[in-house]
Amino acid sequence: MINGAHVIVYSRDAEADRAFLRDVLEWPHVDAGGGWLIFRLPPAEVAVHPADGPSHELYLMCSDLTATMEQLTARGVEFTAPVSEARWGRTTALRLPGGGEVGLYEPRHPTAHGG
């Protein structure tokens, strides 16, 4: 049946954001043709939260938020939100070169992907 998920990040500067995923996060990728890179994501999971209308968010997950932030800061990554502490996890956000933001999340609950 379903064997995967494809996430699309819309960007004002797609080339810069692709370079960020390739060079800063060092994600493996394939070239789908003409330099159009498709990246392999780490294990993923989906949660459904109640809301007044449809919307979607992307959070990258890590096992140690502080260490991950230190590593990414050393690579020139800008964080756009202070670390938020909650009983279910710790979160922040980072800026993509194209101007967008992506959440970064250290869960404190069991994960569906087993990581």
Side-chain angles (χ1 to χ4, degrees):
M1 199 159 157
I2 295 172
N3 64 6
H6 185 89
V7 175
I8 299 172
V9 175
Y10 292 95
S11 174
R12 291 188 184 117
D13 189 345
E15 289 299 321
D17 287 347
R18 288 182 195 128
F20 176 84
L21 298 177
R22 181 191 65 220
D23 301 335
V24 176
L25 298 185
E26 299 177 338
W27 283 358
H29 58 277
V30 296
D31 188 325
W36 195 277
L37 304 181
I38 306 293
F39 295 89
R40 184 178 78 207
L41 289 174
E45 58 189 28
V46 173
V48 179
H49 293 236
D52 292 331
S55 70
H56 309 287
E57 296 182 41
L58 174 62
Y59 277 84
L60 303 177
M61 297 171 73
C62 64
S63 59
D64 184 331
L65 187 65
T66 301
T68 301
M69 290 177 70
E70 288 172 0
Q71 291 171 343
L72 293 175
T73 297
R75 296 179 184 181
V77 174
E78 173 192 357
F79 289 89
T80 58
V83 173
S84 175
E85 301 278 348
R87 116 186 115 66
W88 43 265
R90 304 173 69 214
T91 65
T92 187
L94 59 91
R95 172 124 21 244
L96 294 173
E101 291 185 1
V102 173
L104 182 61
Y105 172 49
E106 176 190 334
R108 291 185 174 150
H109 58 77
T111 58
H113 64 74

